[in-house]
Amino acid sequence: MAPKKKPGENIVATNRQAHRDYEILDTWEAGVMLKGSEVKSLREAKVQLRDAYARFTGRELFLLGLHIAAYSNASAQGGHELERTRKLLLHEHELAEMKMRVDQEHLTLVPLSLYFKNGRAKLEIGIGRGRKHYDKRQVIAQRDSDLDAKRAMAARRRAD
């Protein structure tokens, strides 16, 4: 399920496995603290979001495992670490709500998509519950049956 593109947004990367592996309960938009060469690499869409996850350290939220490739035109000494810990920027009340839900309900913070909104890098982060293997099969079967039903309804409408 690809995220909807809104006016003024430029989607850089999406985590397509997240919706398959997790039941996403709620989403937030967070800013990401980046260095200059990281922003330039993002504009070239040289990023992997698949293995990334978010974790609380104290009262702050950090993104780990996000791989941003080196900027192609950067000098060797002026680059950035490829997989460094990056701080996520959210309001205090959003952080408190997320931390409470993660602690009480044993949920996971999963990055869903990375995009530019009005020139600033944003991360859509979801809070989700992990799915078991049989749950994934049920979701796939449900999606396939819904698709078959839509096709049958469309064919019926064309026939009339």
Side-chain angles (χ1 to χ4, degrees):
M1 183 166 97
K4 303 278 190 260
K5 185 174 179 180
K6 298 177 187 108
E9 287 186 4
N10 181 17
I11 296 175
V12 175
T14 58
N15 189 354
R16 297 182 344 191
Q17 275 190 308
H19 288 284
R20 188 186 72 207
D21 294 342
Y22 297 94
E23 176 187 356
I24 304 299
L25 305 173
D26 205 357
T27 61
W28 287 272
E29 179 181 77
V32 185
M33 288 184 73
L34 299 171
K35 293 183 177 181
S37 61
E38 292 174 331
V39 175
K40 291 179 179 184
S41 289
L42 285 182
R43 293 202 186 277
E44 292 180 346
K46 293 185 175 181
V47 61
Q48 287 183 346
L49 201 56
R50 181 183 306 149
D51 297 327
Y53 61 97
R55 176 164 289 158
F56 278 98
T57 302
R59 294 173 50 184
E60 296 179 330
L61 186 62
F62 291 94
L63 183 65
L64 295 96
L66 178 68
H67 179 85
I68 300 177
Y71 179 53
S72 59
N73 296 329
S75 63
Q77 66 271 17
H80 61 273
E81 292 179 46
L82 301 182
E83 287 193 24
R84 69 178 184 88
T85 302
R86 295 165 179 92
K87 185 175 179 181
L88 297 179
L89 307 171
L90 289 133
H91 291 283
E92 189 68 34
H93 64 90
E94 293 173 327
L95 288 170
E97 179 186 349
M98 291 169 83
K99 185 163 179 59
M100 180 188 67
R101 288 186 70 184
V102 166
D103 291 343
Q104 288 179 354
E105 301 174 33
H106 303 290
L107 301 174
T108 305
L109 294 169
V110 183
L112 302 174
S113 65
L114 187 62
Y115 54 93
F116 283 98
K117 182 176 181 182
N118 299 327
R120 300 187 189 273
K122 300 290 182 176
L123 178 77
E124 182 182 20
I125 189 162
I127 191 165
R129 182 175 295 120
R131 287 190 173 137
K132 303 283 190 243
H133 187 66
Y134 57 84
D135 290 338
K136 293 178 196 177
R137 286 196 305 250
Q138 286 177 337
V139 168
I140 291 169
Q142 179 68 36
R143 186 180 61 222
D144 289 345
S145 66
D146 289 346
L147 189 58
D148 290 341
K150 285 182 184 179
R151 285 181 183 153
M153 290 172 36
R156 179 74 176 157
R157 265 187 265 128
R158 280 184 290 216
D160 289 341

